Amino acid sequence: MKSTNLLPGMHVKKGETIAVIEDQQYIQLQQDYLTAKTKLSVLAKDYQRQKELNASQAASDKVTQQAETDYRADRILVTTLAEKLRLAGIDPGRINEGHIERSVNIHSPIDGFVSKVNINIGKYVSPTDVLFELVNPTDIHLALRVFEKDLGKLQLGQQVLAYTNNNPAKKYDCKILLIGHDLSADRAADVHCHFETYDKTLVPGTYMNAEVEVKNTVSNTLQTEAVVDFEGKTYVFKVAGDKTYEMVEVKSEPLQNGYSRIDIANTDSAKFVTKGAYSLLMMLKNKAE
């Protein structure tokens, strides 16, 4: 790495030079290209001469075919080396025997911000090294971690309200774009969402929470504090009469805002205890003992 002035957080424009690299390999590549190009001119003239001689029976077909093979092989080599130069950022039309470029400019592929700088000036870099990480802020998305039990409630296009821990009152409208199918060790998958409106205050890497709009379903619910666990089972207390209660075994599922879904039949006229369920459980347990 010869030079760069990039620092994390800096803004870059598409096409802007963000680094300069120099290496003997670039010089060798240009030398190979110019040598092959010069040779191509000689081979082209020889091939043309052999064709003319062959037409007048002054040269054999074998000699003419070999001249053609050498010419075409070198033409392929010149084309290949020219493309390698372009990939390296060197214009083949700008170099000649009197002008060899010893450095290569690296240009930004996008308009965005620098998120990481992984290289120092003077350090050797290989083709597989990631020199910089650039972020296009207009294309940032929200990556949610969703547990396996909730994945079935999600579908593409669902609306999402996201918010940061620092400012939970400010909501960001999003839409689900992709639902991952690979579960991690904690039985969760990635769900990717797109922000409906770009907000410059959002910084890539920010931790966010989200609320997902799911389909409405009708179910019986009780306050979570009305549901008690006893001896490996789940119960609620049904009001059987004046200060008389009946423990009813149920299946429950925690919901948001302090409520739980209750799987129980025939609840049209039934009343249930909503507060002090654990105190009532202790009283009934002590009475039984």
Side-chain angles (χ1 to χ4, degrees):
M1 172 70 68
K2 181 180 180 181
S3 65
T4 181
N5 62 350
L6 290 194
L7 293 173
M10 291 181 62
H11 180 266
V12 293
K13 296 181 180 180
K14 184 176 181 180
E16 176 184 348
T17 299
I18 57 178
V20 178
I21 297 178
E22 63 179 13
D23 190 272
Q24 293 182 359
Q25 294 183 22
Y26 299 129
I27 298 176
Q28 184 64 51
L29 183 59
Q30 294 173 79
Q31 177 184 339
D32 294 342
Y33 169 75
L34 292 174
T35 301
K37 187 177 179 181
T38 301
K39 184 179 179 181
L40 180 63
S41 177
V42 175
L43 291 174
K45 293 178 180 178
D46 183 59
Y47 172 48
Q48 183 63 35
R49 182 172 63 255
Q50 293 299 332
K51 283 201 305 181
E52 294 173 355
L53 292 174
N54 182 260
S56 61
Q57 304 297 317
S60 65
D61 292 342
K62 183 178 180 179
V63 174
T64 303
Q65 290 172 357
Q66 185 60 50
E68 180 182 5
T69 299
D70 293 343
Y71 165 68
R72 294 187 182 279
D74 197 68
R75 188 168 65 177
I76 293 173
L77 179 60
V78 170
T79 302
T80 301
L81 291 173
E83 291 304 316
K84 287 184 178 181
L85 287 172
R86 292 188 180 95
L87 283 175
I90 301 174
D91 182 4
R94 293 182 55 186
I95 62 174
N96 52 57
E97 57 270 23
H99 176 70
I100 300 290
E101 296 185 1
R102 59 180 298 172
S103 60
V104 173
N105 295 333
I106 305 298
H107 302 280
S108 174
I110 62 170
D111 288 324
F113 293 90
V114 181
S115 60
K116 288 184 180 180
V117 176
N118 302 321
I119 196 68
N120 296 321
I121 296 176
K123 183 178 178 180
Y124 177 80
V125 296
S126 66
T128 58
D129 289 339
V130 178
L131 306 182
F132 311 100
E133 293 185 21
L134 308 179
V135 176
N136 182 354
T138 61
D139 194 36
I140 62 174
H141 67 276
L142 176 68
L144 301 176
R145 297 288 292 168
V146 179
F147 288 108
E148 179 183 12
K149 66 180 182 67
D150 296 320
L151 287 175
K153 303 173 185 177
L154 305 181
Q155 60 184 352
L156 300 181
Q158 269 181 310
Q159 294 297 317
V160 177
L161 288 179
Y163 54 92
T164 64
N165 292 329
N166 294 331
N167 189 9
K170 183 175 178 56
K171 307 291 184 181
Y172 298 91
D173 292 321
C174 305
K175 183 180 294 185
I176 295 179
L177 290 182
L178 176 65
I179 300 175
H181 297 286
D182 296 328
L183 295 177
S184 61
D186 59 353
R187 310 303 296 173
D190 291 327
V191 175
H192 296 270
C193 309
H194 174 72
F195 287 94
E196 299 286 6
T197 304
Y198 165 58
D199 189 331
K200 293 183 178 180
T201 62
L202 284 177
V203 179
T206 301
Y207 285 97
M208 303 189 74
N209 301 307
E211 299 174 355
V212 183
E213 295 182 4
V214 298
K215 291 182 179 180
N216 293 329
T217 56
V218 178
S219 59
N220 297 312
T221 61
L222 279 175
Q223 290 92 331
T224 301
E225 59 182 309
V227 184
V228 296
D229 294 323
F230 180 60
E231 295 182 348
K233 297 180 180 180
T234 303
Y235 297 91
V236 295
F237 287 94
K238 181 179 179 180
V239 178
D242 186 20
K243 297 183 179 181
T244 305
Y245 308 97
E246 176 187 354
M247 285 184 66
V248 180
E249 183 180 352
V250 297
K251 294 181 179 179
S252 69
E253 178 186 356
L255 301 174
Q256 293 182 344
N257 303 322
Y259 280 82
S260 293
R261 181 182 291 113
I262 304 300
D263 184 6
I264 185 173
N266 300 324
T267 60
D268 293 342
S269 60
K271 294 182 179 181
F272 295 90
V273 172
T274 57
K275 294 184 179 180
Y278 268 102
S279 297
L280 188 57
L281 175 63
M282 293 299 101
M283 291 174 57
L284 294 179
K285 182 179 178 183
N286 292 334
K287 184 181 295 185
E289 293 176 349

